[in-house]
Amino acid sequence: MLLTGGTGGAKLVLGFHEEAAPEDLVVVCNTADDSVVHGLHVSPDVDTIVYTLAGLIDPAKGWGIQGDTFTVLDQLRRLGNETWFRLGDRDIATHLTRTRLLAEGQPLSRVTAALCAEFGVRSTVLPMSDQRVETRLSTSEGELSFQEYFVKARWQPEVLSLRYLGSEDCRASPGLLDAIREAAMVVVCPSNPVTSIAPILAVPGVREALRETSARVAAVSPMVQGRSFSGPAHRLMATLGVEASSAGLASAYHDFVDVLVIDQGDRKLRPAIERLGVGVRVASIRMDTLDDKKRLARELLRLVD
Ligand code: FO1
């Protein structure tokens, strides 16, 4: 089982997909980035994982469908709509389908399963909850949704605080807590710990199930030498009072993670992480090529053998 956000985590998910039996994988996705755009329910992290596993992802951007066109978006702009969130034409077909099925009363987990079946994805992709949870950021430019902060404002505003609206009252998706308890292995992907992994951990019961599972729980750091491989993770960690480093990550995850995989460049942090009761594996964690992704997945699979 893997817990993940979008682009960064998807690289490791693909590595596992290539190295293990796809039908054995359960991929739990953050949905606190979800937005309603032009009336459509967009679930970016779910879609990034589904497109990655279906072989459709745009590898340059890390989101959306490769070779997609933007005719609808261009026309939306002509009609006076805001178009900073770039939805491709084929991607829009996914959001239209999801929005229709949700409007017909199906829960997001079932809608996601239906989309996976249509895209030929054999792994189980599970949104963290069927209920709406929303990351809201209080910033120097006012309160923003995640996409307003990340895409529209290019993560430049200073973040003062952040909350996962709706998380206290939501329920884990059907089967999610049992899947954690029954997993052979749990991997926390190198996704943003504040905006991708923390919302999953905030779903009632998830953190407890991770503490209780007899499976080995491993996490892969999304950063080296205090800087994330991509995106604002290091900045957000510092804002929230967590040291922006792999050691800071270990302190945030120490109650449920058995092993943290860190980059060679962070090897000096090993003693500090071990003092928190978290085991350390030093590896090459940068994933530029498919070979990098597969090698890291194999390294993690060896941890359970
Ligand atoms: N990211 C961008 O940087 N710019 C975009 O215009 C954009 C559009 C978009 C549309 C659909 C989708 O599924 C993802 C999209 N993303 C875009 C990625 C998304 O904002 C983030 O990668 C995730 O929310 C973070 O995990």
Side-chain angles (χ1 to χ4, degrees), residues 3-254:
L3 309 187
T4 188
T7 46
K11 294 180 179 183
L12 186 58
V13 172
L14 182 60
F16 271 91
H17 188 258
E18 300 298 301
E19 290 297 319
E23 41 286 313
D24 288 347
L25 291 186
V26 178
V27 187
V28 179
C29 294
N30 168 44
T31 55
D33 296 2
D34 288 19
S35 280
V36 175
V37 186
H38 311 299
L40 304 178
H41 185 120
V42 182
S43 204
D45 291 355
V46 167
D47 288 342
T48 296
I49 297 302
V50 171
Y51 294 158
T52 297
L53 297 184
L56 294 172
I57 196 79
D58 181 328
K61 296 201 301 267
W63 50 268
I65 294 179
Q66 183 165 32
D68 213 347
T69 49
F70 292 85
T71 309
V72 174
L73 199 79
D74 288 342
Q75 188 63 12
L76 282 165
R77 187 183 302 116
R78 284 189 202 105
L79 294 176
N81 296 281
E82 282 197 64
T83 52
W84 50 265
F85 195 69
R86 295 184 54 73
L87 296 178
D89 297 327
R90 291 167 70 196
D91 192 26
I92 286 174
T94 303
H95 312 314
L96 280 166
T97 306
R98 174 184 295 114
T99 305
R100 174 179 64 78
L101 293 172
L102 288 171
E104 287 171 8
Q106 295 201 38
L108 187 62
S109 51
R110 207 173 328 140
V111 172
T112 304
L115 286 168
C116 281
E118 295 303 335
F119 281 115
V121 170
R122 288 183 286 152
S123 305
T124 302
V125 180
L126 213 49
M128 65 191 199
S129 175
D130 281 335
Q131 284 81 45
R132 191 79 189 89
V133 177
E134 205 187 336
T135 296
R136 304 287 310 174
L137 302 105
S138 161
T139 77
S140 50
E141 294 178 17
E143 171 145 324
L144 301 176
S145 71
F146 177 78
Q147 301 301 346
E148 285 168 332
Y149 165 74
F150 187 75
V151 177
K152 190 177 184 187
R154 297 170 193 272
W155 43 285
Q156 292 311 305
E158 190 194 341
V159 176
L160 310 170
S161 66
L162 166 154
R163 64 203 165 112
Y164 313 111
L165 198 65
S167 65
E168 282 167 24
D169 303 319
C170 78
R171 290 183 304 284
S173 278
L176 168 52
L177 300 181
D178 286 343
I180 294 175
R181 292 199 183 93
E182 289 158 18
M185 169 184 212
V186 179
V187 176
V188 181
C189 287
S191 297
N192 187 320
V194 178
T195 56
S196 298
I197 303 299
I200 303 176
L201 299 175
V203 173
V206 167
R207 202 166 187 125
E208 291 72 14
L210 287 167
R211 283 191 204 125
E212 285 163 18
T213 183
S214 50
R216 202 102 196 267
V217 181
V220 179
S221 176
M223 55 178 57
V224 58
Q225 293 180 339
R227 278 198 72 83
S228 8
F229 290 110
S230 68
H234 54 288
R235 231 187 253 182
L236 290 172
M237 284 170 82
T239 304
L240 300 178
V242 179
E243 185 187 298
S245 73
S246 295
L249 187 76
S251 71
Y253 290 170
H254 77 99

